Every structure is written in C-alpha cells, then in structure tokens.
Amino acid sequence: TMSVAVDTGKAVTAYVKGSFEKIQALCLPETVPKGYHETCQGFAARGFYTLAIARKALADREVGSNITRDEIETELEMLGLILFRNEPKPDAEEAIKALKEGD
C-alpha cells in the first residue's frame, strides 16, 4: 500500500492505494460494495491491473504527529477502483519470436 495525507486547510484526509485485496482488508466492511471481490477478479481476468483506493479523515491531533502507517491504514472508507490496462505493442509478437530464436 501507499498513503498520502492531504491538508486542504479545513481538514486532513489520508488517501491509501494498493491491491484490491489489501485495501478491502483495511476498509470498514460497510463501505465495501457487495460483490466487490468478484468484480475485481473479473477485471483482473480481463487483463486489467486492478488497484483500490480508500480514505480516512485524520483528527487535528494526528496531523504533524508521529502517527504510524499502521494507525493511518485502518478503518478506511472504500472509494473505488483504479484500472490500468497494458496492451502489447503491435510488434510484440515478432519481438518475442526473435528473442526465442536467438542464441
């Protein structure tokens, strides 16, 4: 996972991104939609690199203190998914074939 704290001047919010499995485990169960795991697995099966993002409001006393990552990355609110798709380039098949035929 990776976390960042954003201070808007009015509130500080921690945003956390990571694998969909890890973020699910860190979120409050009531914030995770029904069918979440199956949906994520479906995206992965279709070739998507699937990440999840969540957030947590930080109390004023936590800002600037020595709060640990473990303290931040707990009881999160699920926000959603980020999907990446890395398509092979048009010449990928030919390049792989040339590599396999090489010494």
mmCIF file of all heavy atoms in Angstrom, residues 47-79:
data_model
loop_
_atom_site.group_PDB
_atom_site.id
_atom_site.type_symbol
_atom_site.label_atom_id
_atom_site.label_comp_id
_atom_site.label_asym_id
_atom_site.label_seq_id
_atom_site.Cartn_x
_atom_site.Cartn_y
_atom_site.Cartn_z
ATOM 1 N N GLY A 47 -7.515 -8.792 -17.917
ATOM 2 C CA GLY A 47 -6.228 -8.168 -18.193
ATOM 3 C C GLY A 47 -6.003 -6.804 -17.583
ATOM 4 O O GLY A 47 -5.034 -6.130 -17.915
ATOM 5 N N PHE A 48 -6.864 -6.395 -16.681
ATOM 6 C CA PHE A 48 -6.681 -5.100 -16.030
ATOM 7 C C PHE A 48 -5.826 -5.256 -14.777
ATOM 8 O O PHE A 48 -6.013 -6.190 -14.001
ATOM 9 C CB PHE A 48 -8.025 -4.482 -15.621
ATOM 10 C CG PHE A 48 -8.824 -3.971 -16.769
ATOM 11 C CD1 PHE A 48 -9.836 -4.749 -17.322
ATOM 12 C CD2 PHE A 48 -8.578 -2.719 -17.306
ATOM 13 C CE1 PHE A 48 -10.587 -4.284 -18.381
ATOM 14 C CE2 PHE A 48 -9.328 -2.245 -18.367
ATOM 15 C CZ PHE A 48 -10.333 -3.023 -18.908
ATOM 16 N N TYR A 49 -4.886 -4.338 -14.596
ATOM 17 C CA TYR A 49 -4.154 -4.220 -13.346
ATOM 18 C C TYR A 49 -5.087 -3.441 -12.438
ATOM 19 O O TYR A 49 -5.435 -2.293 -12.737
ATOM 20 C CB TYR A 49 -2.829 -3.497 -13.583
ATOM 21 C CG TYR A 49 -1.971 -3.351 -12.367
ATOM 22 C CD1 TYR A 49 -1.516 -4.465 -11.670
ATOM 23 C CD2 TYR A 49 -1.598 -2.096 -11.902
ATOM 24 C CE1 TYR A 49 -0.720 -4.330 -10.551
ATOM 25 C CE2 TYR A 49 -0.794 -1.955 -10.790
ATOM 26 C CZ TYR A 49 -0.369 -3.071 -10.121
ATOM 27 O OH TYR A 49 0.428 -2.945 -9.005
ATOM 28 N N THR A 50 -5.562 -4.057 -11.370
ATOM 29 C CA THR A 50 -6.656 -3.515 -10.575
ATOM 30 C C THR A 50 -6.181 -3.064 -9.203
ATOM 31 O O THR A 50 -5.746 -3.871 -8.390
ATOM 32 C CB THR A 50 -7.774 -4.571 -10.419
ATOM 33 O OG1 THR A 50 -8.127 -5.049 -11.724
ATOM 34 C CG2 THR A 50 -8.995 -3.999 -9.751
ATOM 35 N N LEU A 51 -6.265 -1.771 -8.954
ATOM 36 C CA LEU A 51 -5.924 -1.196 -7.656
ATOM 37 C C LEU A 51 -7.192 -0.643 -7.024
ATOM 38 O O LEU A 51 -8.167 -0.350 -7.713
ATOM 39 C CB LEU A 51 -4.926 -0.054 -7.817
ATOM 40 C CG LEU A 51 -3.558 -0.399 -8.380
ATOM 41 C CD1 LEU A 51 -2.737 0.871 -8.566
ATOM 42 C CD2 LEU A 51 -2.837 -1.371 -7.474
ATOM 43 N N ALA A 52 -7.138 -0.480 -5.706
ATOM 44 C CA ALA A 52 -8.251 0.144 -4.993
ATOM 45 C C ALA A 52 -7.731 1.369 -4.260
ATOM 46 O O ALA A 52 -6.536 1.477 -3.963
ATOM 47 C CB ALA A 52 -8.879 -0.839 -4.007
ATOM 48 N N ILE A 53 -8.641 2.288 -3.973
ATOM 49 C CA ILE A 53 -8.292 3.488 -3.228
ATOM 50 C C ILE A 53 -9.324 3.704 -2.126
ATOM 51 O O ILE A 53 -10.510 3.424 -2.298
ATOM 52 C CB ILE A 53 -8.165 4.726 -4.160
ATOM 53 C CG1 ILE A 53 -7.606 5.905 -3.388
ATOM 54 C CG2 ILE A 53 -9.466 5.032 -4.849
ATOM 55 C CD1 ILE A 53 -7.095 7.025 -4.269
ATOM 56 N N ALA A 54 -8.818 4.173 -0.988
ATOM 57 C CA ALA A 54 -9.680 4.403 0.173
ATOM 58 C C ALA A 54 -9.194 5.663 0.887
ATOM 59 O O ALA A 54 -8.128 6.193 0.578
ATOM 60 C CB ALA A 54 -9.627 3.197 1.111
ATOM 61 N N ARG A 55 -9.985 6.116 1.850
ATOM 62 C CA ARG A 55 -9.588 7.321 2.583
ATOM 63 C C ARG A 55 -9.963 7.211 4.052
ATOM 64 O O ARG A 55 -10.747 6.354 4.471
ATOM 65 C CB ARG A 55 -10.242 8.547 1.980
ATOM 66 C CG ARG A 55 -11.728 8.638 2.233
ATOM 67 C CD ARG A 55 -12.299 9.903 1.666
ATOM 68 N NE ARG A 55 -13.767 9.835 1.729
ATOM 69 C CZ ARG A 55 -14.570 10.602 1.033
ATOM 70 N NH1 ARG A 55 -14.054 11.509 0.220
ATOM 71 N NH2 ARG A 55 -15.873 10.475 1.132
ATOM 72 N N LYS A 56 -9.377 8.156 4.801
ATOM 73 C CA LYS A 56 -9.671 8.246 6.232
ATOM 74 C C LYS A 56 -9.423 9.676 6.676
ATOM 75 O O LYS A 56 -8.366 10.252 6.372
ATOM 76 C CB LYS A 56 -8.769 7.304 7.019
ATOM 77 C CG LYS A 56 -8.958 7.347 8.520
ATOM 78 C CD LYS A 56 -8.009 6.373 9.191
ATOM 79 C CE LYS A 56 -8.207 6.327 10.691
ATOM 80 N NZ LYS A 56 -7.306 5.329 11.297
ATOM 81 N N ALA A 57 -10.384 10.266 7.362
ATOM 82 C CA ALA A 57 -10.204 11.595 7.930
ATOM 83 C C ALA A 57 -9.268 11.478 9.129
ATOM 84 O O ALA A 57 -9.400 10.567 9.948
ATOM 85 C CB ALA A 57 -11.546 12.182 8.359
ATOM 86 N N LEU A 58 -8.311 12.389 9.198
ATOM 87 C CA LEU A 58 -7.383 12.401 10.318
ATOM 88 C C LEU A 58 -7.764 13.514 11.285
ATOM 89 O O LEU A 58 -8.084 14.629 10.866
ATOM 90 C CB LEU A 58 -5.944 12.610 9.832
ATOM 91 C CG LEU A 58 -5.401 11.533 8.888
ATOM 92 C CD1 LEU A 58 -3.995 11.901 8.444
ATOM 93 C CD2 LEU A 58 -5.408 10.176 9.557
ATOM 94 N N ALA A 59 -7.713 13.216 12.564
ATOM 95 C CA ALA A 59 -8.029 14.210 13.587
ATOM 96 C C ALA A 59 -6.899 15.231 13.656
ATOM 97 O O ALA A 59 -5.746 14.929 13.331
ATOM 98 C CB ALA A 59 -8.221 13.521 14.936
ATOM 99 N N ASP A 60 -7.224 16.447 14.077
ATOM 100 C CA ASP A 60 -6.214 17.509 14.181
ATOM 101 C C ASP A 60 -5.013 17.072 15.010
ATOM 102 O O ASP A 60 -3.887 17.403 14.705
ATOM 103 C CB ASP A 60 -6.828 18.769 14.794
ATOM 104 C CG ASP A 60 -7.776 19.462 13.841
ATOM 105 O OD1 ASP A 60 -7.658 19.241 12.622
ATOM 106 O OD2 ASP A 60 -8.633 20.228 14.314
ATOM 107 N N ARG A 61 -5.247 16.308 16.046
ATOM 108 C CA ARG A 61 -4.148 15.886 16.915
ATOM 109 C C ARG A 61 -3.190 14.937 16.196
ATOM 110 O O ARG A 61 -2.042 14.800 16.575
ATOM 111 C CB ARG A 61 -4.685 15.243 18.181
ATOM 112 C CG ARG A 61 -5.464 13.969 17.937
ATOM 113 C CD ARG A 61 -5.934 13.320 19.237
ATOM 114 N NE ARG A 61 -6.900 12.290 18.988
ATOM 115 C CZ ARG A 61 -6.641 11.117 18.441
ATOM 116 N NH1 ARG A 61 -5.432 10.820 18.074
ATOM 117 N NH2 ARG A 61 -7.587 10.218 18.253
ATOM 118 N N GLU A 62 -3.671 14.274 15.150
ATOM 119 C CA GLU A 62 -2.834 13.325 14.414
ATOM 120 C C GLU A 62 -1.928 14.018 13.397
ATOM 121 O O GLU A 62 -0.881 13.507 13.045
ATOM 122 C CB GLU A 62 -3.710 12.305 13.680
ATOM 123 C CG GLU A 62 -4.496 11.415 14.623
ATOM 124 C CD GLU A 62 -5.470 10.506 13.885
ATOM 125 O OE1 GLU A 62 -6.103 10.978 12.927
ATOM 126 O OE2 GLU A 62 -5.570 9.341 14.286
ATOM 127 N N VAL A 63 -2.339 15.190 12.966
ATOM 128 C CA VAL A 63 -1.597 15.890 11.924
ATOM 129 C C VAL A 63 -0.284 16.410 12.499
ATOM 130 O O VAL A 63 -0.255 17.074 13.517
ATOM 131 C CB VAL A 63 -2.431 17.053 11.342
ATOM 132 C CG1 VAL A 63 -1.626 17.815 10.305
ATOM 133 C CG2 VAL A 63 -3.714 16.504 10.749
ATOM 134 N N GLY A 64 0.801 16.068 11.828
ATOM 135 C CA GLY A 64 2.120 16.521 12.265
ATOM 136 C C GLY A 64 2.700 15.713 13.408
ATOM 137 O O GLY A 64 3.812 15.959 13.842
ATOM 138 N N SER A 65 1.956 14.751 13.909
ATOM 139 C CA SER A 65 2.472 13.913 14.990
ATOM 140 C C SER A 65 3.207 12.728 14.385
ATOM 141 O O SER A 65 3.338 12.602 13.182
ATOM 142 C CB SER A 65 1.323 13.430 15.881
ATOM 143 O OG SER A 65 0.504 12.530 15.161
ATOM 144 N N ASN A 66 3.670 11.894 15.218
ATOM 145 C CA ASN A 66 4.384 10.696 14.765
ATOM 146 C C ASN A 66 3.421 9.539 14.548
ATOM 147 O O ASN A 66 3.697 8.414 14.960
ATOM 148 C CB ASN A 66 5.465 10.307 15.783
ATOM 149 C CG ASN A 66 6.602 11.296 15.788
ATOM 150 O OD1 ASN A 66 6.903 11.899 14.771
ATOM 151 N ND2 ASN A 66 7.228 11.471 16.941
ATOM 152 N N ILE A 67 2.325 9.813 13.904
ATOM 153 C CA ILE A 67 1.348 8.763 13.613
ATOM 154 C C ILE A 67 1.986 7.748 12.673
ATOM 155 O O ILE A 67 2.721 8.108 11.759
ATOM 156 C CB ILE A 67 0.049 9.352 13.026
ATOM 157 C CG1 ILE A 67 -1.023 8.271 12.897
ATOM 158 C CG2 ILE A 67 0.305 10.048 11.712
ATOM 159 C CD1 ILE A 67 -2.399 8.822 12.556
ATOM 160 N N THR A 68 1.731 6.496 12.935
ATOM 161 C CA THR A 68 2.342 5.442 12.123
ATOM 162 C C THR A 68 1.451 5.085 10.941
ATOM 163 O O THR A 68 0.250 5.363 10.941
ATOM 164 C CB THR A 68 2.589 4.175 12.952
ATOM 165 O OG1 THR A 68 1.313 3.613 13.308
ATOM 166 C CG2 THR A 68 3.409 4.456 14.187
ATOM 167 N N ARG A 69 2.069 4.463 9.983
ATOM 168 C CA ARG A 69 1.330 3.989 8.809
ATOM 169 C C ARG A 69 0.247 2.996 9.225
ATOM 170 O O ARG A 69 -0.866 3.025 8.696
ATOM 171 C CB ARG A 69 2.329 3.336 7.865
ATOM 172 C CG ARG A 69 1.757 2.905 6.569
ATOM 173 C CD ARG A 69 2.894 2.479 5.681
ATOM 174 N NE ARG A 69 2.397 1.715 4.570
ATOM 175 C CZ ARG A 69 3.157 1.141 3.679
ATOM 176 N NH1 ARG A 69 4.451 1.245 3.746
ATOM 177 N NH2 ARG A 69 2.634 0.473 2.693
ATOM 178 N N ASP A 70 0.565 2.126 10.172
ATOM 179 C CA ASP A 70 -0.429 1.151 10.645
ATOM 180 C C ASP A 70 -1.637 1.840 11.281
ATOM 181 O O ASP A 70 -2.758 1.346 11.176
ATOM 182 C CB ASP A 70 0.194 0.183 11.646
ATOM 183 C CG ASP A 70 1.128 -0.818 11.000
ATOM 184 O OD1 ASP A 70 1.025 -1.043 9.773
ATOM 185 O OD2 ASP A 70 1.975 -1.393 11.721
ATOM 186 N N GLU A 71 -1.412 2.983 11.932
ATOM 187 C CA GLU A 71 -2.524 3.722 12.532
ATOM 188 C C GLU A 71 -3.375 4.403 11.458
ATOM 189 O O GLU A 71 -4.588 4.517 11.609
ATOM 190 C CB GLU A 71 -1.995 4.770 13.515
ATOM 191 C CG GLU A 71 -1.380 4.154 14.752
ATOM 192 C CD GLU A 71 -0.665 5.170 15.618
ATOM 193 O OE1 GLU A 71 0.127 5.969 15.074
ATOM 194 O OE2 GLU A 71 -0.917 5.156 16.847
ATOM 195 N N ILE A 72 -2.729 4.857 10.396
ATOM 196 C CA ILE A 72 -3.464 5.501 9.307
ATOM 197 C C ILE A 72 -4.243 4.471 8.497
ATOM 198 O O ILE A 72 -5.410 4.664 8.186
ATOM 199 C CB ILE A 72 -2.512 6.284 8.382
ATOM 200 C CG1 ILE A 72 -1.941 7.488 9.120
ATOM 201 C CG2 ILE A 72 -3.225 6.720 7.098
ATOM 202 C CD1 ILE A 72 -0.862 8.226 8.359
ATOM 203 N N GLU A 73 -3.590 3.367 8.171
ATOM 204 C CA GLU A 73 -4.169 2.388 7.250
ATOM 205 C C GLU A 73 -5.043 1.378 7.983
ATOM 206 O O GLU A 73 -4.833 0.169 7.911
ATOM 207 C CB GLU A 73 -3.056 1.707 6.460
ATOM 208 C CG GLU A 73 -2.336 2.678 5.536
ATOM 209 C CD GLU A 73 -1.255 2.042 4.697
ATOM 210 O OE1 GLU A 73 -1.017 0.823 4.811
ATOM 211 O OE2 GLU A 73 -0.622 2.778 3.918
ATOM 212 N N THR A 74 -6.040 1.881 8.651
ATOM 213 C CA THR A 74 -7.019 1.049 9.347
ATOM 214 C C THR A 74 -8.363 1.775 9.337
ATOM 215 O O THR A 74 -8.408 3.001 9.276
ATOM 216 C CB THR A 74 -6.573 0.732 10.789
ATOM 217 O OG1 THR A 74 -7.510 -0.164 11.378
ATOM 218 C CG2 THR A 74 -6.475 1.964 11.647
ATOM 219 N N GLU A 75 -9.438 1.022 9.355
ATOM 220 C CA GLU A 75 -10.791 1.583 9.380
ATOM 221 C C GLU A 75 -10.992 2.620 8.271
ATOM 222 O O GLU A 75 -11.503 3.706 8.488
ATOM 223 C CB GLU A 75 -11.106 2.161 10.756
ATOM 224 C CG GLU A 75 -11.079 1.119 11.853
ATOM 225 C CD GLU A 75 -11.378 1.682 13.225
ATOM 226 O OE1 GLU A 75 -11.268 2.911 13.419
ATOM 227 O OE2 GLU A 75 -11.741 0.894 14.104
ATOM 228 N N LEU A 76 -10.584 2.239 7.066
ATOM 229 C CA LEU A 76 -10.682 3.122 5.914
ATOM 230 C C LEU A 76 -12.079 3.080 5.289
ATOM 231 O O LEU A 76 -12.824 2.123 5.490
ATOM 232 C CB LEU A 76 -9.657 2.714 4.846
ATOM 233 C CG LEU A 76 -8.191 2.749 5.270
ATOM 234 C CD1 LEU A 76 -7.319 2.139 4.182
ATOM 235 C CD2 LEU A 76 -7.757 4.166 5.586
ATOM 236 N N GLU A 77 -12.374 4.104 4.504
ATOM 237 C CA GLU A 77 -13.608 4.160 3.725
ATOM 238 C C GLU A 77 -13.254 3.860 2.267
ATOM 239 O O GLU A 77 -12.464 4.583 1.653
ATOM 240 C CB GLU A 77 -14.224 5.555 3.828
ATOM 241 C CG GLU A 77 -15.434 5.751 2.953
ATOM 242 C CD GLU A 77 -15.869 7.208 2.869
ATOM 243 O OE1 GLU A 77 -15.263 8.081 3.520
ATOM 244 O OE2 GLU A 77 -16.819 7.461 2.106
ATOM 245 N N MET A 78 -13.840 2.817 1.722
ATOM 246 C CA MET A 78 -13.595 2.454 0.326
ATOM 247 C C MET A 78 -14.099 3.561 -0.591
ATOM 248 O O MET A 78 -15.219 4.046 -0.438
ATOM 249 C CB MET A 78 -14.317 1.145 0.000
ATOM 250 C CG MET A 78 -14.243 0.725 -1.445
ATOM 251 S SD MET A 78 -12.605 0.279 -2.001
ATOM 252 C CE MET A 78 -12.349 -1.238 -1.097
ATOM 253 N N LEU A 79 -13.248 3.954 -1.554
ATOM 254 C CA LEU A 79 -13.657 4.957 -2.542
ATOM 255 C C LEU A 79 -13.933 4.343 -3.904
ATOM 256 O O LEU A 79 -14.879 4.726 -4.574
ATOM 257 C CB LEU A 79 -12.584 6.041 -2.687
ATOM 258 C CG LEU A 79 -12.387 6.948 -1.482
ATOM 259 C CD1 LEU A 79 -11.260 7.928 -1.748
ATOM 260 C CD2 LEU A 79 -13.672 7.685 -1.151
#
